[in-house]
Amino acid sequence: MLKYKIFQIKQKMNSILFHIGYPKSASTTLQEQFFKKLQGHYYLGVGMDKSPENNNQLVFENFRNLFIRLFKTDALNYDPSEAMTYWLNVKKHVPPETPIIISHEKALGSIFSISDPFEKARRIRNIFGDIKILMIIRNQHNIALSQYRDWPYQPNHHFSGKPVSFKEWVDMDIKNDSSFIKTLEYEKVIKFYHSLFTPKNIHVIPIELLKFDKELFTKKLSAAMSIEYIVSEYLVNDFKALNQGATSHQIKLKQIKRKYKSLKNINKYIPEKLKEHIKSFPFSSKSISSKEDEIFFRNYFMDSNTKLSNMLNIDLSKLGY
């Protein structure tokens, strides 16, 4: 207990910003083209082991073990003192007074992690203290569709589930205890983070601003990071989309391989030119999602998004919510 109290005092020397997701909301773009490129900051997150500036394998191993405990370990087996030990082992390698950027979208994602975002928020608060939080949100229909594109199978059975349509996926997911869609009531999640952290330290940015109002997106990102606007502007203007979801043709190929187990290794026999041809097909969701699906999502989240618009002082309906 004494060790924990001492750590809480010492960690004030390093300001910490934690980018917690959401998944499928430009996380890879931010990690590779913003966080990792900021000079004078210590980056901890996806891709850190591939960064020439941060090639300390010991730091990476402790970081990986920390986040397995935080986001993949159920309540019965979670040991906060074990998680704290891993964090201390990471922290001691960070130069004093160097701002730390942590990025891990499993803090909000429910796939391949424990599904309760509130339990994960409590763990973050317990280990890191009253740090700054960056949350990137996205239109609920589009984020769900993007998640489906990656795993177009029965929810909660990602490796063995049968291929399903997007509508079937939505219907099944909402009925699950570990529903991904239910974690997209952003207003409730943000309110909970406000209750755990200092509200002024919670920064929420709709990713759609990057398309419709890049200047406002950049200003909000600069405020969250406590850096000059000109620095953010330089990096944001150079953004290129990374880790885009599968096309409808790629999804169909995934489903065929899942349905017919004997085709599991078919990729080995598909010529490279044909693979590129499949990838180059127009990125369309027309055959995956219908207008009725969009209306369902808009109605399902209408009350929550109205409250969220007031909370953020942004008319989210103009951004497609």
Side-chain angles (χ1 to χ4, degrees):
M1 193 63 179
L2 179 60
K3 184 178 181 181
Y4 177 74
K5 285 181 179 177
I6 292 172
F7 171 71
Q8 288 294 308
I9 294 169
K10 284 187 175 180
Q11 82 163 357
K12 290 180 182 178
M13 294 174 65
N14 297 87
S15 64
I16 300 174
L17 176 130
F18 197 143
H19 164 240
I20 58 176
Y22 271 80
K24 317 309 298 178
S25 302
S27 294
T28 306
T29 299
L30 285 168
Q31 289 159 351
E32 294 293 332
Q33 300 182 36
F34 196 90
F35 301 146
K36 286 171 68 173
K37 290 186 176 182
L38 276 180
Q39 295 183 359
H41 290 69
Y42 196 93
Y43 173 68
L44 296 166
V46 176
M48 61 177 283
D49 58 318
K50 299 180 179 69
S51 172
E53 296 83 14
N54 185 5
N55 56 7
N56 189 320
Q57 191 63 26
L58 191 61
V59 172
F60 172 70
E61 288 298 327
N62 277 283
F63 178 82
R64 186 175 65 85
N65 283 322
L66 167 64
F67 283 94
I68 288 173
R69 271 66 183 177
L70 286 178
F71 302 146
K72 293 191 175 186
T73 306
D74 59 40
L76 208 60
N77 295 299
Y78 178 65
D79 181 355
S81 62
E82 183 183 36
M84 179 62 80
T85 298
Y86 284 121
W87 171 233
L88 288 169
N89 287 340
V90 170
K91 181 80 166 45
K92 67 186 180 183
H93 291 277
V94 181
E97 300 184 16
T98 301
I100 298 171
I101 303 170
I102 302 172
S103 179
H104 209 297
E105 63 181 24
K106 288 291 186 289
L108 290 173
S110 64
I111 295 179
F112 307 124
S113 69
I114 59 173
S115 59
D116 184 352
F118 307 109
E119 170 60 22
K120 289 187 280 191
R122 282 188 287 266
R123 294 180 185 184
I124 291 171
R125 180 65 174 86
N126 174 252
I127 297 299
F128 301 104
D130 191 20
I131 59 175
K132 294 171 73 173
I133 299 292
L134 174 62
M135 183 186 300
I136 306 294
I137 61 172
R138 184 181 178 187
N139 168 297
Q140 287 96 343
H141 168 263
N142 293 342
I143 195 173
L145 182 59
S146 187
Q147 190 70 77
Y148 167 79
R149 285 180 186 277
D150 281 356
W151 295 92
Y153 319 111
Q154 292 169 303
N156 278 12
H157 298 282
H158 304 296
F159 296 109
S160 60
K162 296 178 181 178
V164 293
S165 68
F166 179 59
K167 186 179 187 310
E168 290 171 325
W169 184 88
V170 170
D171 291 341
M172 291 176 185
D173 180 87
I174 285 178
K175 293 173 185 174
N176 279 333
D177 292 335
S178 57
S179 167
F180 173 72
I181 292 171
K182 288 179 181 176
T183 68
L184 304 180
E185 289 188 85
Y186 302 133
E187 176 251 348
K188 289 183 179 177
V189 176
I190 294 166
K191 273 188 175 179
F192 190 74
Y193 269 86
H194 281 177
S195 72
L196 293 180
F197 299 83
T198 306
K200 66 180 177 65
N201 281 344
I202 308 299
H203 297 264
V204 182
I205 310 176
I207 192 59
E208 291 81 8
L209 288 178
L210 188 56
K211 177 181 180 181
F212 295 109
D213 193 339
K214 187 184 284 188
E215 183 180 353
L216 182 57
F217 176 87
T218 307
K219 283 180 179 177
K220 287 184 173 292
L221 189 56
S222 299
M225 304 292 301
S226 298
I227 59 177
E228 295 290 334
Y229 175 85
I230 192 171
V231 176
S232 296
E233 183 184 38
Y234 174 79
L235 293 173
V236 169
N237 284 340
D238 205 35
F239 274 5
K240 295 176 180 63
L242 299 175
N243 196 25
Q244 295 189 46
T247 65
S248 56
H249 302 86
Q250 289 173 310
I251 288 171
K252 183 56 68 177
L253 184 59
K254 283 183 181 183
Q255 292 181 327
I256 290 171
K257 287 162 64 178
R258 175 65 61 91
K259 186 173 182 180
Y260 302 101
K261 303 289 186 184
S262 59
L263 298 178
K264 184 178 179 183
N265 297 316
I266 193 173
N267 276 354
K268 291 193 295 187
Y269 307 102
I270 298 178
E272 288 302 318
K273 282 190 176 180
L274 180 56
K275 288 181 188 176
E276 290 303 315
H277 188 58
I278 291 172
K279 279 184 184 179
S280 67
F281 268 81
F283 192 88
S284 170
S285 61
K286 288 181 180 177
S287 60
I288 303 171
S289 176
S290 66
K291 193 67 179 176
E292 287 73 24
D293 293 328
E294 292 183 43
I295 293 170
F296 168 79
F297 274 88
R298 191 171 294 118
N299 291 336
Y300 188 87
F301 291 103
M302 185 177 292
D303 182 56
S304 177
N305 285 343
T306 299
K307 294 175 182 176
L308 183 60
S309 286
N310 294 329
M311 183 186 291
L312 301 180
N313 198 26
I314 296 174
D315 187 352
L316 293 174
S317 65
K318 291 182 178 178
L319 300 178
Y321 288 69

